[in-house]
Amino acid sequence: MPSRAGKDTGNKGKWLKIVLTSPPELVDALSNFVTEMGAEGVFQENLGPQVEGDFPESPLNESVNAYLPCDVRLESRLAALRTYLQSLSEIFPEFSAPEMKTEVITDPDWGEQWKKYFKPLRVSRNIVIKPTWERYTPLGSDIVIEIDPGMAFGTGQHASTRMCLEVLEDLILTRRSPEPLNVLDVGTGTGILGIASAKLGAERVLCVDIDPKATEIAKENIAINHVEDRVSVRQEEISTLKGTYNLIVANLTANLLIKLRKKLISLLRPGGYLILSGIIDQNRRDMEAHFFHDPLILHSTITDKEWVCYVMKKETAQP
Ligand code: SAH
């Protein structure tokens, strides 16, 4: 059995408390959505006027509170909630966009039930994602990645992660260049994409995340997978990064990708590939308007249900 490295990041008894602050007109829609999504303890609260004196009253003066178990379904539920919040703002541009805050709380009565949903999963021809606590006997060419997700995103079960893994496998295993492969994993979460890159053959991998919990969990998963010699982790915003990479993978959101576009391009070496994921179908046009330009050319597009992943290549002939 694989052993766990580092301190215990198990989710036993943990819940994610979600507070959605919103204009009153949207609270019913939000309550219905989180209830249908499987949240428990959903209740609405009137926060009253938030700003006194000469300032106008905040339009975000009601809240919806909800609790989600920190289990393997959490990431897809949060992704669905974010998508819903975005579509609400698009449908009702006249209202201020709801704001979401989250906090992990511990309920000692909650068991480890969630672990039964996270099983070894083949995500591509060669890659199998295995929870650290499960057994799996690898087949001939299997590349097994062990993950203990703790509170971080990235179990490989989400379409946006799975598509990145497929592309990484394809690009790295068919690469012919003699130049060492230097990978940047932007928004590493559990470290899954960085670890996969190293196991597929990348010589150097840098994983960055702005969330200190994610970087801590990524470090543990990197140790569990014995790739510390090639993979490093930093809690850092990419705006401060230096150097260039032959392959960059960024599974974020369309908004974030667009915001980070210039920096992502400047970190990419000519001839290098940029994998953009975490994009929902309705943001395709916006993404294409921002990314389908010189110096990038489209290498391929992959879709899985409503999720889209673009593989871009940076042209070699730079002025
Ligand atoms: N790479 C994993 C996790 C993706 S979730 C996977 O593919 O499954 C996105 C991660 O990006 C989160 O952990 C979040 O904390 C991080 N993130 C968000 N904005 C970021 C930024 N500007 N720079 C670095 N990381 C960021």
Side-chain angles (χ1 to χ4, degrees):
M1 277 288 281
S3 62
R4 287 169 66 116
K7 72 184 186 59
D8 186 10
T9 51
N11 284 323
K12 190 167 189 257
K14 284 184 183 160
W15 291 78
L16 191 70
K17 180 180 178 188
I18 299 174
V19 181
L20 297 161
T21 320
S22 147
E25 292 84 352
L26 301 181
V27 290
D28 282 343
L30 288 170
S31 291
N32 286 342
F33 187 84
V34 290
T35 307
E36 275 178 25
M37 197 173 69
E40 298 189 27
V42 180
F43 70 97
Q44 296 178 11
E45 211 176 354
N46 189 322
L47 305 173
Q50 292 194 319
V51 187
E52 290 173 11
D54 296 336
F55 297 101
E57 196 176 298
S58 167
L60 302 179
N61 61 0
E62 296 225 356
S63 77
V64 175
N65 296 251
Y67 296 83
L68 284 173
C70 293
D71 60 17
V72 73
R73 296 162 299 179
L74 183 65
E75 62 187 50
S76 57
R77 286 172 162 173
L78 283 176
L81 179 56
R82 286 195 193 99
T83 307
Y84 182 67
L85 292 179
Q86 197 169 344
S87 61
L88 265 188
S89 331
E90 281 161 16
I91 299 165
F92 302 108
E94 68 272 30
F95 298 134
S96 305
E99 284 169 8
M100 175 160 81
K101 284 207 179 109
T102 57
E103 181 194 347
V104 177
I105 57 161
T106 302
D107 173 353
D109 295 331
W110 187 255
E112 293 209 329
Q113 292 298 315
W114 69 277
K115 285 192 172 177
K116 68 175 181 243
Y117 297 103
F118 185 18
K119 296 284 179 200
L121 177 73
R122 179 173 298 280
V123 288
S124 65
R125 202 160 5 129
N126 299 292
I127 303 174
V128 174
I129 308 296
K130 178 181 105 51
T132 47
W133 56 89
E134 286 280 334
R135 280 175 189 275
Y136 175 77
T137 310
L139 307 174
S141 61
D142 278 354
I143 296 171
V144 180
I145 298 167
E146 298 205 28
I147 293 292
D148 187 339
M151 277 309 299
F153 185 105
T155 58
Q157 311 222 339
H158 195 269
S160 63
T161 311
R162 224 166 33 232
M163 290 191 286
C164 291
L165 290 164
E166 260 175 47
V167 176
L168 286 172
E169 176 180 280
D170 185 43
L171 291 177
I172 300 177
L173 294 184
T174 59
R175 189 169 183 267
R176 294 281 168 265
S177 168
E179 198 191 346
L181 177 58
N182 209 348
V183 178
L184 175 65
D185 173 8
V186 183
T188 194
T190 56
I192 186 167
L193 301 177
I195 295 166
S197 303
K199 287 204 162 180
L200 286 161
E203 275 82 2
R204 288 273 353 125
V205 183
L206 174 62
C207 301
V208 292
D209 204 295
I210 45 171
D211 177 356
K213 272 193 229 95
T215 51
E216 188 189 323
I217 290 165
K219 274 184 196 146
E220 292 176 4
N221 284 317
I222 287 162
I224 290 168
N225 285 279
H226 309 294
V227 286
E228 313 89 307
D229 56 333
R230 281 163 291 151
V231 186
S232 47
V233 186
R234 278 197 235 150
Q235 189 204 328
E236 195 167 332
E237 243 288 336
I238 72 156
S239 54
T240 50
L241 287 183
K242 298 203 168 58
T244 53
Y245 300 83
N246 330 85
L247 177 53
I248 301 179
V249 59
N251 181 15
L252 300 166
T253 61
N255 277 345
L256 271 173
L257 292 168
I258 290 169
K259 209 173 97 194
L260 301 174
R261 182 182 65 102
K262 267 202 179 138
K263 186 65 187 181
L264 288 169
I265 293 173
S266 74
L267 291 167
L268 188 62
R269 256 177 231 171
Y273 291 91
L274 171 62
I275 306 171
L276 302 167
S277 196
I279 304 150
I280 47 165
D281 210 37
Q282 68 201 60
N283 290 325
R284 277 182 90 136
R285 210 188 293 165
D286 208 11
M287 281 295 293
E288 291 172 11
H290 284 89
F291 281 94
F292 286 20
H293 290 298
D294 190 42
L296 297 179
I297 46 171
L298 180 67
H299 173 263
S300 55
T301 306
I302 316 178
T303 58
D304 185 345
K305 297 189 201 86
E306 73 273 35
W307 297 93
V308 186
C309 172
Y310 295 113
V311 187
M312 310 300 303
K313 187 172 183 190
K314 189 168 181 176
E315 286 170 311
T316 36
Q318 292 297 296

